[in-house]
Amino acid sequence: MKSSLAALADTAKQQTAMLKQIAKAQGVTVAEWQLLLKLQAGFNTQEKLATEMQLDTSTLSRQLASLVKKEKLSKEAVGRDRRQLIYSVTSTGENAAAVINADYAKYEATVFDKWPQDEQNLLRILLNRLNKSVDRTLAP
């Protein structure tokens, strides 16, 4: 039997592979999907997004440019010097995010289909406890 952390790592790899497949079907990466969700939540400038997502501006710029090119985002120059950009999710981007969200929810439901609700709740409790334990080991 695998150790708890080894089993968790294997599960994370499987979950990541499925999420990549779901996102790719909509023509975006997982990182771009997460960016779409943040934009939908109101983080509409590069500065707000960089802070919220803890990304450096060059990485963020590439992802935003890719989403604009894929017509998932639009951008508008604002301010006196027109250098600040406000990003908006297009209807194509809204649709992609909605489909990914729905497909991921279906995947999660399938994974836990045979699990009673009390076991699902217990797993959440234990995973949250594990998260806190790992956080404590990382604290200086």
Side-chain angles (χ1 to χ4, degrees), residues 20-53:
K20 283 179 182 179
Q21 182 180 331
I22 290 169
K24 186 177 180 181
Q26 295 305 310
V28 297
T29 66
V30 173
E32 290 170 342
W33 167 62
Q34 292 169 336
L35 193 52
L36 286 172
L37 296 179
K38 293 297 181 186
L39 283 154
Q40 288 176 322
F43 299 93
N44 61 355
T45 65
Q46 202 167 348
E47 182 180 329
K48 290 177 187 175
L49 287 164
T51 301
E52 175 65 16
M53 298 185 77

Side-chain angles (χ1 to χ4, degrees), residues 73-133:
L73 291 183
S74 63
K75 63 182 178 179
E76 178 186 352
V78 296
R80 197 173 338 139
D81 62 4
R82 314 278 296 158
R83 289 193 315 174
Q84 180 166 14
L85 298 173
I86 302 290
Y87 292 91
S88 303
V89 181
T90 63
S91 59
T92 305
E94 295 274 353
N95 183 58
V99 170
I100 294 167
N101 291 343
D103 287 352
Y104 188 72
K106 282 187 233 171
Y107 168 68
E108 189 173 11
T110 302
V111 167
F112 292 105
D113 181 45
K114 304 289 188 230
W115 288 52
Q117 191 61 49
D118 62 328
E119 288 183 3
Q120 291 181 49
N121 292 340
L122 178 60
L123 178 63
R124 273 193 280 288
I125 290 166
L126 293 172
L127 288 172
N128 285 323
R129 186 182 299 168
L130 176 62
N131 240 0
K132 289 176 184 172
S133 293

